Amino acid sequence: MVLTPGHSVRDAAVDPFCERSGRHFSVHKQILGGRFRFESTSQALLHLVESAYGGLPPHQLPMAGPEFRIELRLLPRQAPPGDADPPPVQVQSGAGLLCGVMDASNYVVLSPGQRRGLVVASEDMLSRPYHLRYELIEFAVFTLAARGMGLIPLHGACVGKRGRGVLLLGASGSGKSTLALHSLLQGVDFLAEDAVFVQPESLLAAGVANYLHVQADALRFVDDGEVRRWIGQAPIIRRRSGVEKFEADLRQGHGRLAAAPLELIGAVFVSSQSAEDPDVLLSPIPEHEIAARLCADQPYAATQPGWHRFGQRLMQAGVHQLRRGRHPRDSVDALRQLLG
């Protein structure tokens, strides 16, 4: 990471809004096809940006990626040390701004029209890097990228081969992360595990392949001892639901990350139910059911511009349901059938 210094002046008497607060640094990252400039007086916050986006393939979309600017500001410690999770983010909008607020010292303010954002965090959040990264910094990055480039933001995973991808959808706990893990281990290109961003017309999908989140019981299907150690030694994060998962860094060389956005050739709803015939895991979803299934699975994305065209294009590509086989490897084989 290269920190580029800048200069400003801090004087509480004349600068109550911290508009010229302290010496600042900046880093640049290519994320989801957009160019992001992160600025901060806190090197700790910029190192967190590096941990999230450093070493990733610089995905580019056919259109010229716009530049986004995000300022990260660190405030003095607010909460006493403890294990309690920070408050959940509450979102609000108005006057062309989008806001995500944990509390008075931890929040995000975004101006999609200006392609700019402000992330404010207190020092105690540095001891909770998952929440700070995932709920504040990624909230800013993902929201600005989706709004600024007209991408459809999806909660799901995506894997592929030779530039072609399959979108993995389904409820939490259906097995998307386990399927993505085993796809990675069997040589399928890994694009994203939790959030996928799609151009509605071209069906080009981009993602951030930084971490994989899997529960401990997923390790029982992993035979490779080195891979088991990689995951088993990873930090454990706790979701807001209370579910605990390993957060394994995908940039440590286990498998192949998609070098460029993938063109979707279809979508698969991953089911937690076992197949009646373990040799037949995939079944096409009737065309008249696809639109309703997609809207029910992606309620936020379904309200965004471009959703109708995205649904049309995905319906033309084909949507299937994938039930579980004897082993996750069988599900990966089924995906390979779609990818050709």
Side-chain angles (χ1 to χ4, degrees), residues 45-306:
L45 287 177
L46 291 177
H47 279 296
L48 194 60
V49 169
E50 185 68 22
S51 72
Y53 305 115
L56 292 174
H59 287 181
Q60 296 183 353
L61 295 167
M63 62 180 184
E67 182 174 84
F68 302 91
R69 294 182 66 178
I70 297 178
E71 180 181 348
L72 301 109
R73 185 172 298 170
L74 191 65
L75 298 184
R77 180 176 296 275
Q78 297 295 317
D83 296 328
D85 288 341
V89 172
Q90 303 295 319
V91 295
Q92 189 57 266
S93 66
L97 303 175
L98 302 176
C99 304
V101 180
M102 280 183 177
D103 56 33
S105 300
N106 296 279
Y107 55 87
V108 178
V109 181
L110 305 175
S111 174
Q114 296 180 328
R115 302 192 179 108
R116 300 192 70 166
L118 171 67
V119 176
V120 177
S122 55
E123 288 180 329
D124 44 290
M125 286 295 290
L126 294 174
S127 64
R128 300 175 175 88
Y130 169 73
H131 291 290
L132 175 51
R133 187 189 73 243
Y134 186 74
E135 298 186 354
L136 295 179
I137 297 175
E138 286 194 357
F139 172 80
V141 170
F142 288 173
T143 304
L144 286 177
R147 298 295 179 96
M149 294 186 287
L151 306 178
I152 303 297
L154 301 168
H155 175 58
C158 185
V159 297
K161 286 187 78 69
R162 296 184 295 275
R164 293 154 55 88
V166 175
L167 181 63
L168 306 180
L169 304 173
S172 296
S174 61
K176 298 187 299 295
S177 296
T178 299
L179 179 54
L181 166 63
H182 284 272
S183 298
L184 176 80
L185 298 181
Q186 294 184 57
V188 180
D189 293 346
F190 189 105
L191 182 83
E193 174 246 358
D194 190 56
V196 182
F197 296 80
V198 182
Q199 277 189 333
E201 186 61 43
S202 65
L203 286 190
L204 280 175
V208 176
N210 48 11
Y211 297 102
L212 176 72
H213 299 94
V214 292
Q215 292 180 260
D217 63 356
L219 293 179
R220 71 182 189 275
F221 295 113
V222 177
D223 300 324
D224 188 310
E226 184 178 349
V227 173
R228 290 176 64 89
R229 284 190 295 274
W230 164 55
I231 297 174
Q233 294 174 0
I236 295 176
I237 58 94
R238 185 171 65 239
R239 299 283 201 190
R240 290 290 184 179
S241 64
V243 174
E244 292 188 340
K245 294 189 174 187
F246 292 109
E247 185 176 62
D249 194 328
L250 289 162
R251 294 158 290 184
Q252 294 181 357
H254 296 277
R256 187 168 55 234
L257 306 184
L262 300 178
E263 182 180 357
L264 296 181
I265 53 85
V268 166
F269 279 92
V270 180
S271 172
S272 59
Q273 297 180 343
S274 298
E276 294 182 5
D277 183 345
D279 295 322
V280 182
L281 306 186
L282 276 175
S283 59
I285 294 177
E287 188 171 316
H288 68 275
E289 296 180 9
I290 293 176
R293 288 282 299 270
L294 289 173
C295 287
D297 190 68
Q298 304 289 331
Y300 170 69
T303 67
Q304 300 304 298

Side-chain angles (χ1 to χ4, degrees), residues 1-5 24-31 36-56 72 137 251:
M1 176 178 69
V2 178
L3 296 176
T4 304
H24 64 270
F25 299 88
S26 66
V27 295
H28 298 78
K29 297 295 177 186
Q30 180 83 13
I31 308 170
F36 281 80
R37 176 186 175 98
F38 298 89
E39 301 174 331
S40 183
T41 61
S42 167
Q43 295 191 42
L45 287 177
L46 291 177
H47 279 296
L48 194 60
V49 169
E50 185 68 22
S51 72
Y53 305 115
L56 292 174
L72 301 109
I137 297 175
R251 294 158 290 184

